[in-house]
Amino acid sequence: MNLNTLPNWLTLLRILALPALILLTLSPGRGLGVAAALLFSAAAITDLLDGYFARRTGQVSSFGKLVDPIADKILVSTAFIMLIHLQRVPAWIVALIIAREFAVSGLRAYAGTQKIVIAAGFSGKVKTTLQILAVIALLVNEPLWGFPFKPLGWILLIAAFIATMWSGYRYFADYFSGASSLVEEEGP
């Protein structure tokens, strides 16, 4: 198996962006916030690109399937933790968001031991999109080009929190009810 592929490198870039993201969020400031938002946006875009290139070029790998969702969770969790440091989000919201990520990852791992694949559902994709948009707005956090990023960030944060909790509930409810929309038996 060749791990030296563009999709795998794009996934790894998300993880490699973390030190720079942390440095940019150590101190508040308009310039640093915009730079952190741009870096986070670029890293988040690699999530779309790695999947696209993996499917388009037939380079879907076990490594990518495992590391891609981990890289996503590390990126978003790190950004949320740094937003706590900047006093832009309450710690309890971030704790529950991260706990949901661990719980769903644990459920998927457990299901895997039973040869059951829990595919990403629509509610999970909505959750991820809202989390990313909330982080971007809260990293900027100040009016920019006349656009009120701070209030938008709070609206998106609340929407992301609700979507995060709802999608977590859906994954568990669908798994335990055997719903076929998310739970698929793997072949022999």
Side-chain angles (χ1 to χ4, degrees), residues 135-150:
V135 166
I136 292 167
L138 290 166
L139 285 171
V140 174
N141 202 52
E142 296 181 25
L144 186 64
W145 305 300
F147 196 80
F149 279 91
K150 185 176 185 174

Side-chain angles (χ1 to χ4, degrees), residues 27-155:
S27 300
R30 177 182 225 145
L32 292 176
V34 171
L38 289 172
L39 175 64
F40 179 83
S41 299
I45 288 169
T46 67
D47 183 32
L48 297 172
L49 294 176
D50 67 7
Y52 171 78
F53 287 123
R55 287 183 296 279
R56 180 129 195 227
T57 62
Q59 295 179 324
V60 175
S61 67
S62 297
F63 175 83
K65 286 180 184 179
L66 175 68
V67 177
D68 178 65
I70 292 170
D72 299 342
K73 288 168 183 30
I74 291 171
L75 176 69
V76 173
S77 296
T78 299
F80 272 129
I81 290 166
M82 295 312 294
L83 286 168
I84 293 170
H85 167 74
L86 293 170
Q87 299 179 341
R88 295 182 187 168
V89 298
W92 69 268
I93 287 179
V94 173
L96 288 172
I97 287 172
I98 292 172
R100 178 265 185 218
E101 300 300 342
F102 275 102
V104 170
S105 294
L107 176 66
R108 283 186 163 142
Y110 173 72
T113 67
Q114 299 175 324
K115 302 250 189 260
I116 296 172
V117 174
I118 301 177
F122 179 73
S123 63
K125 294 174 194 275
V126 169
K127 174 261 326 174
T128 300
T129 301
L130 288 170
Q131 286 179 354
I132 289 169
L133 292 174
V135 166
I136 292 167
L138 290 166
L139 285 171
V140 174
N141 202 52
E142 296 181 25
L144 186 64
W145 305 300
F147 196 80
F149 279 91
K150 185 176 185 174
L152 174 64
W154 270 93
I155 291 167

Side-chain angles (χ1 to χ4, degrees), residues 1-14 50 54 59-65 67-68:
M1 173 188 333
N2 182 12
L3 297 180
N4 191 19
T5 65
L6 178 60
N8 287 341
W9 278 108
L10 289 171
T11 297
L12 291 173
L13 276 176
R14 277 199 302 290
D50 67 7
Q59 295 179 324
V60 175
S61 67
S62 297
F63 175 83
K65 286 180 184 179
V67 177
D68 178 65

